[in-house]
Amino acid sequence: MRFGLWLLLALLFGARSALAAVAADTTIPTYHAEPDRSGAYVVPGLTWQAAIRMHRDPAFDATVEGHIYAQPLFWRPSGEARGLIIAATESDVVTALDAETGRTVWHVTLGSPVPRSAMPCGNINPLGITGTPVIDPVAGAIYLDAMVSRGGTPQHLVFGLRLTDGTVLPGWPVDVQQVLQAQGITFTPREQNQRSALALLDGRVFIAFSGNFGDCGRYRGIVLGVATNPPHPAVAWATTALKGGIWGPAGISSDSRALFFATGNTEGAQQWGDGEGVFRLGPDLSHTTNPRDFFAPTNWKALDESDADLGGVAPMPIDVPGAHLLLALGKDGDAYLLNRDNLGGIGGQLAMRRAAGSAIITAPAALSLQGRVLVVYPARRAACPDGSDRGGLAAIAVTGGAERAGLEPAWCVPLDGRGAPIITVTGTSENPIVWIAGAEGDDRLHAFRGDTGQPLWTSPDTITALRHFATILVAEGRLYIAGDGRVYAFTAR
C-alpha cells in the first residue's frame, strides 16, 4: 500500500492523531474536520461561560441556491488573512462565500439536478450534491459527486474544482457509471445515491454509494477510488450481495493508514454477502475475506430482515492506551467496539452495549476527556446511565485499554431534532461543549457541557429549513450551519 501523499499532507498541514481537536482558524477540508470524523475543534475563548453569549452574527449574510444536505467546508488560501466557506447544494451549485461577511466570491453551476419524478424512489427533490465534498489543500482543489441530468438521463459525475474560482479542473468530471463498468461492476445511476462524505487518501478521492430512500432497485454498496490526477486510474469495491448501501453522512473514515466504512442491509442473502458489516480496506480497495478486515454481528441476517443495519453511521477510529479501536453504531440501537487492527469477522467485537431504544442514524462526535473517550450521538430514545432510554442526545464512554476496553453510558439529555453533533474545546480538552442543531425538530442550535451534558444555551430563534443530519462547521471563531438557501453564522463575540 502507498501512503506517501497522506504523510506529506500530515507534515505540511499538521495532521493529528485520532480524536485530537482541530484549530478552527485552519482549513477544514473534510466532514467533521478530520479523516477520523471526530468533529472536535479548538476555539480559544469559547468557554462554558462564553457559550451563553452565543448569537447569530448579523454581519454575516450568505445566500446560496438550493437545498443543503452537505456540510459546508472552509478553505484559507495560503498567505490570506481571510478564508472561504464552500457550500454545495442539491441544485448542483457550489458557492464560495467570504467567511467574514457571507458575500459570494464565486459561484458555479455544474449541471441540471435530477427531479424526484425521474427517480424510482427517494426523498430528495431535486437530487444534486448530497454528500459532503472534500478539499485537497495542497492542490487547491475540491472534489464532489453530483447527480446530473444529461439529456434527461440521470448520471453520477465526480468533479474536481479549482478553489480559487470554481472552474472545473482539466480531466474532470469523471462518469461513475463508465468507470465502474470498466471495473466489472454494474452501476445504474438512478438506483444509486451518494449521501456520504467523500474522503482523500494516497492520491485518490473515495466516494461511497448507497441507494435511495425507499430501498428500491438492484443497487449495491460501492466504494469508488479515483486518482486525482488524469487520466484518473480507478479502484473499486462492491458488496457481493445486492444492496448493502453505505448511507452514513460521515461516509468513510480513516486513521491515515486505512479506510473504514459500514454497510446496510443486503437483500436475499442466505450466506453473508458483505451486508451489516464494518470494513477496513487499504487505498487499493482490494476485496478481502480475511476476518481481520471485516466485522458483522452474529445476527446479521435478522438485521437484514428488519432493516436494522449498521450502514447509517460511519465507524469512528478511537485510540486508547495500548489499543487501536473502532466504534460502530447501528440502527438496532447497539454500539459495537472493535479492535481496529483485527476487526474479528462475524461476532468479533471486543464489547457490545445497548446505546438506544431506537435507530441510531447520524455522525457522532468524540473527544478524549479525563482518561476516557466520550462519543456523543443523537437518537430519539438514547440510552441513559440510569438504564432508561429517555435521551435525545447521549454520550457513551470508551474506557480501559487493550485488554479491558469497554463501553458505558456517560450522560443523556432531551433533544428534539436530528442534527449531528460537534464539539469545541478551548485547549487540549478544556471547556468541552457539544453543539447540535435540532434539525427537523425544534430547529434551534443547542450547547451542552461535554463532560456532563448540562445544558448551556439554546438559540432563541429557529434556523430556517434545516435538513436532517445537518451539522456545524467551526472556522475563524464562528459556528456555521447551512439551511436551504442560506448559510448562518453564530458567534459569542
Side-chain angles (χ1 to χ4, degrees), residues 256-352:
S256 81
R257 297 179 294 275
L259 302 166
F260 302 92
F261 59 89
T263 57
N265 58 284
T266 48
E267 183 175 83
Q270 299 306 309
Q271 302 294 322
W272 185 70
D274 300 320
E276 315 292 0
V278 175
F279 295 86
R280 178 186 64 184
L281 298 182
D284 60 359
L285 297 185
S286 294
H287 205 298
T288 174
T289 57
N290 189 329
R292 297 181 64 88
D293 297 322
F294 72 86
F295 161 78
T298 55
N299 64 336
W300 65 267
K301 197 169 190 306
L303 297 179
D304 262 6
E305 292 168 354
S306 60
D307 189 27
D309 53 72
L310 273 70
V313 182
M316 180 180 288
I318 291 173
D319 289 343
V320 299
H324 299 148
L325 305 176
L326 196 69
L327 181 68
L329 299 168
K331 283 172 68 177
D332 61 353
D334 286 336
Y336 303 87
L337 190 62
L338 311 174
N339 178 349
R340 197 162 79 239
D341 300 324
N342 180 5
L343 296 181
I346 295 176
Q349 68 269 13
L350 298 176
M352 173 180 166

Side-chain angles (χ1 to χ4, degrees), residues 23 52 73 86 91 116 156 188 191-192 197 233 302 388 429 449 452 475 488:
I52 63 175
L73 300 175
I86 313 294
S91 294
R116 166 67 186 85
H156 278 282
T188 305
E191 294 181 349
Q192 305 259 182
S388 69
S429 59
R449 276 183 56 155
T452 65
Y488 301 87

